[in-house]
Structures are given as C-alpha cells and as structure tokens.
Amino acid sequence: MAGTARIGIVGATGYVGLELVRLLAGHSGFLLAELVSQSHVGRPFSEVHPAFRSIVDLACSDLSADRLAERCDFVVTALPHGVSSALVPGLLDKGLRVLDHSGDFRFKDAAVYEAAYGLTHPRPDLLAEAVYGLPELYRDRIRTARIVANPGCYPTCTLLGLVPLLRAGAVDPASLVVDAASGISGAGRKADVPYLFTEAAESFKAYGVTGHRHRPEIEQELSAAAGVPVAVTFVPHLAPMKRGMLATIHAQVRPGFDAAALRRIFEEAYAGEYFVRLLPAGTFPETRSTTGTNFADLGLHYDARTGRIAVFSAIDNLGKGAAAQALQALNLMAGFDEAAGLRLPALAL
Amino acid sequence: MAGTARIGIVGATGYVGLELVRLLAGHSGFLLAELVSQSHVGRPFSEVHPAFRSIVDLACSDLSADRLAERCDFVVTALPHGVSSALVPGLLDKGLRVLDHSGDFRFKDAAVYEAAYGLTHPRPDLLAEAVYGLPELYRDRIRTARIVANPGCYPTCTLLGLVPLLRAGAVDPASLVVDAASGISGAGRKADVPYLFTEAAESFKAYGVTGHRHRPEIEQELSAAAGVPVAVTFVPHLAPMKRGMLATIHAQVRPGFDAAALRRIFEEAYAGEYFVRLLPAGTFPETRSTTGTNFADLGLHYDARTGRIAVFSAIDNLGKGAAAQALQALNLMAGFDEAAGLRLPALAL
Amino acid sequence: MAGTARIGIVGATGYVGLELVRLLAGHSGFLLAELVSQSHVGRPFSEVHPAFRSIVDLACSDLSADRLAERCDFVVTALPHGVSSALVPGLLDKGLRVLDHSGDFRFKDAAVYEAAYGLTHPRPDLLAEAVYGLPELYRDRIRTARIVANPGCYPTCTLLGLVPLLRAGAVDPASLVVDAASGISGAGRKADVPYLFTEAAESFKAYGVTGHRHRPEIEQELSAAAGVPVAVTFVPHLAPMKRGMLATIHAQVRPGFDAAALRRIFEEAYAGEYFVRLLPAGTFPETRSTTGTNFADLGLHYDARTGRIAVFSAIDNLGKGAAAQALQALNLMAGFDEAAGLRLPALAL
Amino acid sequence: MAGTARIGIVGATGYVGLELVRLLAGHSGFLLAELVSQSHVGRPFSEVHPAFRSIVDLACSDLSADRLAERCDFVVTALPHGVSSALVPGLLDKGLRVLDHSGDFRFKDAAVYEAAYGLTHPRPDLLAEAVYGLPELYRDRIRTARIVANPGCYPTCTLLGLVPLLRAGAVDPASLVVDAASGISGAGRKADVPYLFTEAAESFKAYGVTGHRHRPEIEQELSAAAGVPVAVTFVPHLAPMKRGMLATIHAQVRPGFDAAALRRIFEEAYAGEYFVRLLPAGTFPETRSTTGTNFADLGLHYDARTGRIAVFSAIDNLGKGAAAQALQALNLMAGFDEAAGLRLPALAL
C-alpha cells in the first residue's frame, strides 16, 4: 500500500486501545480515523485520557460498521472475547481488514476455543482464514491476511522463548514448565478489588493456576512447532507493577545439545529479527528494558548438572504482548516498514 | 541551521543523559555523535543500559574537549555543579555551543550561586552571557545563545505556574507558598540509602526543608517577573514514584481579580505555547499525564473564601524538568522546529 | 471497667474494620465478639482476608442491633456517612457505647454537616452529645462518652500540627495553608478506576480541590482552638502508596515568637502525650515511621525570611488517622491503659 | 528457662536486625540488652531508625564479646558470611548461646560451604554442632542448641513446600524446578544501584541464575529429606516490593499419588504447626498475607494432564525468611512458648 492507511480502533479507551493510540500518534503512515468507545461517545479522546491533550483530540464515536467501512481501511478490535466474534465478520464483509485483540480468532480448532472460553464460536469457518499475528512465526501470511488474531501476551512471551528449541528438536516436549509474571495492566481497565493499588502493591501471587485461557493457545503453537501434541505446565503470576512480563521457561535438553549449540539455535532463529534481542551469555533480561516497546529480550542458561535449559523472555505485556505487536502486524498488512513507529527505546527509568 | 546537527553528551549514562539519549534516538535532526561517560569508557551505551540494545550501540568515550570540538556542533553537559563550571568555558572556547544541566550557569548574581552551592564561581563573567533555558520565558535569547543553563526541575514547574500571575500583578509577592513533590529519579543515579526501593517505597516525606538549592533559583526568576525582590516558601517532598513532579502553589490574590480574570491571565500567557497545557476549569493535573514528555499541565482554583489561588503544575522531572526541556532549547538553538522529537504522548499507564 | 470488654465491629471487612480487627487481635482487654459484614455473612473473617487465618476465624454476621446489644459492650461502626446516622441511635438506645468512623457525628452544627455531606441529619440532638474522638484534645470527655465520633484522617493530621499554635496565639488564623498527601487506602475498599494500581502507581495529583469534606471538620476544630472563625486553604493529594499521610502546614507567625518559642509551644502541648512524637530540630517526619501505628510524628521549621512556620505532621491514615486512634479512644472509654495494644513499632520497612 | 532472657543483637541496624528489634520490642520474655552496630556506636537506635522513637531508645554499642557475655544470655548475629564465622566461636566460648543469620553455619559439609561462598571455613568442627534453625524440621535439636544457623529465606520457603513430598516419596527428586520471587529487602541495607527505587520499581527480573548461594543449602536439606542426593533447578527473581517471597515449585508426581493423596501428605506434615497454613484446595497464597509475620502459606495444585504438582509457598522474606523465624527458634532455645511475640496478623494492606 502506498501513502497513508486510515485506521479505526474499536475499544479505543481501554488499555490496549490507549496504547495503540499512543503508538499510532507518532506513526507517519497510519491516520487515526475513528476511535470507537461506546462509553465515551462524543467526548474528545484527550478528555478521557488527559495525557493526549493537544495530541489526539479526536472525539470518540459510537460503533457503526458502515461508518468504519466508509472512513477506514483497517480496523483494530480491542474488545472482550465473544464480542469480537460477533462484530468482526460484519467488518470483513464490508471489505475492511481487521486485527483483533481477543481470543476469538486465535484458535485453529473451534472445540479448543469453546473449552477454553466457554462460548460457542459463531463463525468457525473464519478460524481457518485468520492468521495468528506473531510476525516472527507467520510474517508472510500476515502481510496478506484479511483477519489477524493478535496473540495473547503470555503466548507471545512464551512462544518466542520456546519455539526455536522445539523446532530444533533440542528439548523434550513433555518437560516444559513455564512460570510467568505480569504487570497489572494485563487485567485491563476494570474496576475490580484485586487490582486496586491497595490490594496489589507490595504483594506477589500466582493466579489462574487451575487453568488460564492462554495455556491452550500456547499449546496450539508449541504443538505446531514440535510436530507432536504438547501439554505444558503454565503458571501466571501477578507482580506489583503497571507493565512488564517475564516468562521463565524450563525444559529438559535432549542429548547432543550443549550450551553453545542451544545458543546457536536462538542466534539462527532470530538473525534478522529486529524486535527479538538475544542477550549475551551470562546476562538476563529485565522487563523495564522493554517498557513501551515492541522488543522481546531473551536470556539463556543451560545447567549441565540437571540437563535443563532456562529461557528468560521479557516483554511489555501492552507492547510486544498487545498493542506494539499489533502495530508490527499492521505495518506488514499495510505494506509499511515493519518497524515503522516502533524504533523508540524503552522508558526503562 | 540546515540539515543535521551533531551533538555530544557529557555524562551520558546518568539519568538526565539517559533520558536525553532516549529522546534524541528518535530525533531526525540531531545526530548522536559522542556519548561521554568516564565510568564506562569503551563500553557500548547499550551495554550499560540494555534498553538501548540495537538502538544506541555507540561506545561511550572519555572526556576530551578536542574530540568533542572535532566531532560535535552542540554539547550537553549533564554533570554535577562545580564540574560543569570547570569544563564548559573550554568547550565554548573551542567554538561549541553548550547546554548545561547543572546549577553553575543559572544565576545572574555569582554571590547568590556561591551562597546556594558553597562554591566560588570560576567564571562569573559567563553568568551574564548564559541564558536561562526556559523557552516560555526566554525563547528568543535561547535561539542564539552560546551557553544555555537548563533550569532546575522545581524552578521549571514553579515558574510556569507563577510567572504569569506575578507579571500581571495579580498576586501578592510576599504571600507565595510552594509545596512540590518529586519522583525519586530527581536524586540521580546515586547509590544512597534513602533512595533504595526499601527505604523510599510506601513513604512520603519533605526534604531540603531548611534550604534547597532550587529556592534561590526560583526567587531569581520570580523577582524578575514581579519587578520586586521575592522571598518564597518552598518545600520539596519525595513521593514513591520514579518520575513526576507536582507543584502546588498558593498565592494571595490582589483585589480586582476574580476566577475568570485569573484564568484569562494564564490563557493569554500560554496561548501558542504547545508544551503548556492549561486544563479546563475544575480539572487538575496528574503527573503521569506528562511521563516521558515535555508537557507541563496546569490547573487553577481560586477560593473566594480565603482570597487565595492554588495553581497546580505537573511535569516529568526528567522531561520538562530536565532532558525534554533541554531538547526544546536545543531545537531552538539549532534552528529546528521547537517541538521536533517532542510530540509523543506520555506513557501515562 | 475491669477485666474484658466485648466489642463488635459493623463494617468489619472494609479497610478501617480490617485494621481494627488487626489491632484488636493482639489486645488483651477487648474481646472480638461480633464482626458484622453484610456482604460476607456466614463466611469466616479469615476467608475474606486470608492474612487472618488461624488468628481471627470468627464468622461474619448480619447486622442486628439486638444481637449486638446482647453480645457486646462496645460497637464500632465503620460505615458510610448517612448509614451510620441511621444505625447508631438504635444502638445507643439499647445501652451500647459506640465509636463511629463516619462524618455523621463529628460536627457540632448540623447545618455545617448538611452542607458538607448533602444530607439532612436525622438526629441533630446527638451532635451535642457526641464527643470528637481526638484524645489529645478531648481525653476526659471521651472516657465517659456514649458516642465518640472518630476524627477524619486529614483533620487528625492537621489538628495535631496546628491546634497548639492557634491556642498559643502564635500564628495568624487567616494565613493557614495545608497541603496534605495520603496513601490510597484512604479511598477504602471500593473498586473505582482511579484507585486501580495501573492508574494510581507512578503518579501524584491533587484531588478534592474545590471542596473536600474534611475541610469544614478541620475548620470547626481550628476555630475552637483559635477562638475565632477560621477559614483554611486545604488541598489533599494522592500519593502512590498504600498507607501514610503527611500534612505540610504553613502559617504566618505573629510578632514575638521565634523558632525557640514556637518549639516550646509544641513541647508543652505534647509533654506526656505518648503518641505524638516531636522530632528534634532540623529533622522531619516520613510517613513510613508511623505505618501500622497510632503515632503522629511532627517536625517544625521556622523561616525568619518569610516569617512563616512550616509544620510537618505524619501519620498512618489507617492508624492514627482511623483504626488505631479509635482503639486509643476505646481504651479510654473502657478504662484500659490508653496505649494498650498500641505500643508496637511501625513496619517502616 | 524461667522468667526473662537477655538478648543482644550484633548488626542491629541492618534490615534483619531491625526486624528482630521490631519483633522483640513487643515480646514479654526477651529483654533487649545490647544492640551492637559498629557504624552507629553511641547513637540511640531510635535516632538511626526514627520509627522506634519512644519505643527502643537504647544506644547502639560497639562490638565486645566480653560485654555481650556479661549482659546477655543469647546473641543474634546478623552479619555477612565470613564475619559471623570469625565472631561466633568466641561468643560460644564465653558461654553465650548464639543464633546466626549468615550462611556460615548452615552447611554440614565444609566443602559445600567453601564452594558456595568462596571462603575457607575457620571452624569446620562447629558445623557438626550447629543446628539448622527450621523449627518445623529440627524443633527438638533447636531447643538445646548452643548455636543455631538461621536458614536462608529461599531455603525456608522452598523446603516447607518440598520436604513433605520428598519424605513421602511422592515426587521424583530429579524433576524439581523452583522459581522464586523476592522483595527487595532481601538485598539488605546496601546502597547499590540495582536496588534504587528508580532501577527496581516497575520491573521484574531473574538474578543469580548461574548460581545462587541458597541452592546448595536447599539441596542439602532436600537430599536429607529424599535420602538421595538431589540437584534442583532454582531461579530467584526480584519483584518490585519491599518484602515478600513466593516459591513456585514444580515436581513430577510418582505413580500412585493423586490430588487427594498429595494434599493429605501436607495435612499430616503440618498438623499442629501453627506457622504453616495450608490453604484450602483451589486457593493460593499471596505474599502480603504474611507481611511482618512468621507464617508460611502453602497452596497446592496437581495437574493430571502433565502428572506434575505445583506447590506455592509464600512467606515474608524478613519474617519467616529471617527475623521472625529466628524468634521462633529463640523462643524454643529459651524455653518460651514457641509462638510468643509472633501471633500478630500480617499488615496485608
């Protein structure tokens, strides 16, 4: 696509929408054409979020597929699951290209979706067409997709750390253990007691232990990488910070792979990947080095005593885990430089 | 100046230097030519601060005025007071234009400097030449200055909220009370016990109560605005956050000014000022709306019961309070668009 | 009263109730007899708040004045304003002695209450009887009161710093400016967006600028101390921490009082007051030194240049600002040692 | 021991010492006789830590074994490794009973100590005598010990979650993976850049990945429990909070153990253990429920899909992970009620 692409965001005032507006505000290719927010219709975006005063003063609009079709080339849906699947087909029918943030189009198998989300999928036919929006895995298909399903934050973080090992056959797929910690923005802009400052600050806990919706998503992609069905131990944790996600991933290494060979697997997998930064041996990522960005920082440690590798994968859950990754995919869809608007360093401090 | 300006930063790995590198990394006019850090000579900047991997991998260099003169057009000095005043004259002699972050060139009267900082000034002659780098007050002089003294964070925050009132004669200069709170990055990258997470988190306190170095700086500029010597009550506080500064300013309003008149003073003072955002009546700033930016957000409340006005002025202490304001001044000095590289919204979340 | 006093808490699972349960759990004189929580009837208190497992496993009960009367000697009501005033009269009628945490019984003048809270007071007759529960001001009346109105957190913090000066005639009552910062627990256990971790962390702001309910309460007690009607400038702020409150208080000193005289006023006012700690000259309080306790730490600074005194008053908003102060008053009411259960040091770290 | 025991703390002003002083200030059996702090000799403890004003005003003293012997029955050493091993033997020679917080007396095998700490042990003979101070494992030996080695925080947290499983033969000792997160107080009161608020807040990272000193300590005790040498994968993480520690522990379950059987193992192991709270099935601990206390909260989840159990173990790293556990052991040594001074609920809010 030449020139400028007009973009609309449905769910613009939630955290993912907000972050996307922030990133798009500095993007020379995309034009913010519609900011749909049903709870703030008619109010300037910058009144809802005063940080945007004098930068994004566009008024929020009500949801109208016709209006979106008329004014946009691309639509990003940042909506709860179940809501996206009802809205997106109509947008596609009107010729729009859609990037969806919910879980509704991430699964190849409707039964897996339905078990994880407790909903019947209204359009399982679209699951075959939808492309899983992790550019490092599906770059070419994203370029031409009508519908891209933006990956979950935990899956993004985990897959970047595990897929190379599984593709290389370097680890036992039955041995995978993932402990991941997320900042609190992952819960969205919902007023629930556990996410109050008073409840969340100065504490750390696991949650979703008995079954988190991101586990089947992780397993779908790990199984594809391994070529066999993979069941993973996955435990998310809540850390007292606004943003950031670290996955600490453990796997039993197969005979024949030593520390150097394991590192080589990652070097080769991510050669040429601007947004995946493999840290030097002996150094390990911290989440703040990715705050506000699309970067994923990886660190490796092979322990010969136990024969296990630990992979550390750090992202911003709202960045590479949501809005920045969405922009990376949108750049591909629109034919822009893949890193356009995404080259800025983190607000690490 | 046409095209590209080469810039060097002395003290590049401290917090102010770091923030300046972050902002300059996305600037199309300035070229980061030299990053001087005497504690990290030869190490890539991105090794010291991993957030910059693949973005700013330039190696840190040792301090050499000759090398700076050869490779740069502009030099920013982010150094302790006393160190700047020893270095800057030599840089000027070599034809460089300098923006200095210390207190060494902010004062018109060497005696005031010497009382505040406990140092003898080596070059009081330069105090007359140096321009106080608050563009909203001294824009034209900054454009052509050889040496710009970047204002302190508290002075910036306070002056933007008070100067219009004093210039208009709307408040009693003897009545000024300023309580300001700062994030902890104001203390710099120094390993001192009071700034440890364990000591600073979950607490709030006043500090510098018996005399903070920014008070005479505030008073110098307030006196200039009022046309009479001004003594102010100024109390800085430390808030448990990384960045952000709010000044809550109280003044006794003179007869003849009501709420509407007071608001009009600010509207007129800041008409056309992109970086000063006067919030609508009844709304008040929060620091996070300025995080990472050059914006100053102002709110006003006039209380007819007491006859006092409260002005609320929020900035990022590292942004408009330091590095972003420096970039605004450098843009002016280099003849660039004043807002170049500074139009991005805050990382409010 | 000899031996043990039975106590019931209405609103036991909110933050003030919770803190009172925490303090009473280690108290040898009071027996926790009833924990009323209408949203958790029948659930063990320790199931609602797992920190109390094996310590307070008592089941929460429904609200019943009869049951409270039968099982308790004292009742603490930790309820919203308007709710307390409807409930408390019935409890008094049944012979219970009540300590109320709302604003419903803090005002001597029903009209002031009604203006501040927007409610008609159902029992203005009780306002004359109710004792304002600040032991440092009204110790003797508290001992025998049927109903004690626990002071607000901001009033407690402010009054301890200002009343001695006004009583001594040392400052101009027309000159009072109070900037106070509070931790987020002051907002209670309400799921509102502004109190989410993501919205409140890493930010600082003023709120309630155009009129906070604690201002008339502060003015009532300051006026009593000054002997003239006092109007104060009072600005509350929200700091990103769970607990803690600091009031920074400014007043114009009257002729004849120097730094030593001003300090003497406080020394005399608080001689013998265990819970008010006047810090040595040149040192100033931080809120964390009071976390979890009933202490109020005061610091003083007189600035001869401006003729103003700054008083710094630090408390835990849930401690001396709410539950611990309530326990101090309850100790008085029950005839126990005033400091019983309140001698533990802060969790400053 | 009847009546009162006199206690001295060497290293009283560091974080562990401070927490011990806090707990002992409210203890009826121990008398704080000596607070040794070589950097603050002669200063009142409450001047160094103002939270203790009017509670612990005792002056800090210099280190003198004679003076300690004269004035104390018990001495707690809260010193760096290498320093303890030089001091403690002399204290024992003078008849004192010692509880040591360093790693110097935790190992049975001097070679393991020397490999982990890079020091030659000056008195390997004392390693046989020293008792590992985890009361849930070694209660009886602690009662009569001359020297107790207080366990590390990570070992305490991990062992409470794993020893029952290994003793019961329920898990494969070769399968153990432990990801643990700690608050920043674990680093002590050292002014190092990574522990500054600005560097640690709003971030999460692993550290000590290539080898943490607590790993051999964990392995020593796990090996004893399993009856075979155990090598464990152990990864500590730093979470942006002052206190708190959560270990998330993964193990492959052996055939014959289902969820109910696994739960029964813990129920039986901790029946009668006041400080270990096994949470109901389906609920999981958060660290704040243990803040300031000696409690360890455990949660369990068995995943039949993978055959793995996840055990969650939460403590306060300064509480059950250091000072509170020390007090539990001291209570045993002195013949006091084991829970004396340790029954208070957490400051969860």
Side-chain angles (χ1 to χ4, degrees), chain A residues 175 276-277:
Chain A
S175 72
V276 182
R277 303 189 290 197

Side-chain angles (χ1 to χ4, degrees), chain C residues 155-282:
Chain C
T156 294
C157 196
T158 302
L159 296 172
L160 292 172
L162 261 179
V163 164
L165 291 172
L166 289 169
R167 285 190 174 165
V171 297
D172 175 2
S175 71
L176 308 176
V177 170
V178 182
D179 285 318
S182 173
I184 293 163
S185 59
R189 202 166 184 240
K190 276 193 312 284
D192 283 346
V193 165
Y195 308 117
L196 291 175
F197 187 94
T198 36
E199 305 276 327
E202 291 293 313
S203 199
F204 188 78
K205 66 172 177 183
Y207 71 102
V209 173
T210 56
H212 189 283
R213 281 169 180 146
H214 285 176
R215 199 193 61 201
E217 185 183 334
I218 291 168
E219 291 178 345
Q220 165 181 288
E221 296 299 318
L222 292 184
S223 299
V228 297
V230 172
V232 67
T233 291
F234 167 66
V235 181
H237 298 72
L238 201 63
M241 57 194 190
K242 295 164 91 158
R243 295 172 176 240
M245 176 170 284
L246 182 80
T248 296
I249 303 164
H250 305 276
Q252 200 72 36
V253 175
R254 284 182 166 148
F257 295 87
D258 61 7
L262 292 163
R263 171 162 285 272
R264 221 152 36 230
I265 288 168
F266 282 90
E267 285 168 351
E268 286 167 14
Y270 295 123
E273 290 293 351
Y274 178 70
F275 292 116
V276 182
R277 303 188 292 196
L278 182 64
L279 302 190

Side-chain angles (χ1 to χ4, degrees), chain B residues 173-181 198-206 209-211 215 219 230-233 235 237 239-243 245-246 248-250 252 282 284-289 291 300-301 303 305-306 308 310 312 314 348-349, chain C residues 173-181 198-206 209-211 215 219 230-233 235 237 239-243 245-246 248-250 252 282 284-289 291 300-301 303 305-306 308 310 312 314 348-349:
Chain B
S175 72
L176 308 176
V177 170
V178 182
D179 285 318
T198 36
E199 305 276 327
E202 293 291 313
S203 199
F204 187 78
K205 65 172 177 183
V209 173
T210 56
R215 198 192 61 200
E219 291 177 345
V230 172
V232 67
T233 291
V235 181
H237 298 73
M241 56 195 190
K242 294 164 92 157
R243 294 171 176 241
M245 176 169 285
L246 182 78
T248 296
I249 302 165
H250 305 276
Q252 199 73 35
F284 302 95
E286 43 189 329
T287 62
R288 67 187 179 115
S289 292
T291 302
L300 310 178
H301 178 64
D303 181 358
R305 292 176 352 122
T306 59
R308 283 187 205 107
F312 302 90
L349 182 68
Chain C
S175 71
L176 308 176
V177 170
V178 182
D179 285 318
T198 36
E199 305 276 327
E202 291 293 313
S203 199
F204 188 78
K205 66 172 177 183
V209 173
T210 56
R215 199 193 61 201
E219 291 178 345
V230 172
V232 67
T233 291
V235 181
H237 298 72
M241 57 194 190
K242 295 164 91 158
R243 295 172 176 240
M245 176 170 284
L246 182 80
T248 296
I249 303 164
H250 305 276
Q252 200 72 36
F284 302 95
E286 44 189 326
T287 63
R288 68 186 178 115
S289 292
T291 303
L300 311 178
H301 178 63
D303 181 358
R305 293 178 349 124
T306 59
R308 283 188 205 105
F312 303 90
L349 181 69

Side-chain angles (χ1 to χ4, degrees), chain D residues 319-344:
Chain D
K320 183 68 176 168
Q325 176 145 279
L327 180 50
Q328 184 184 1
L330 288 162
N331 280 333
L332 288 167
M333 293 169 84
F336 296 145
D337 167 11
E338 183 174 340
L342 294 169
R343 284 199 171 81
L344 296 181

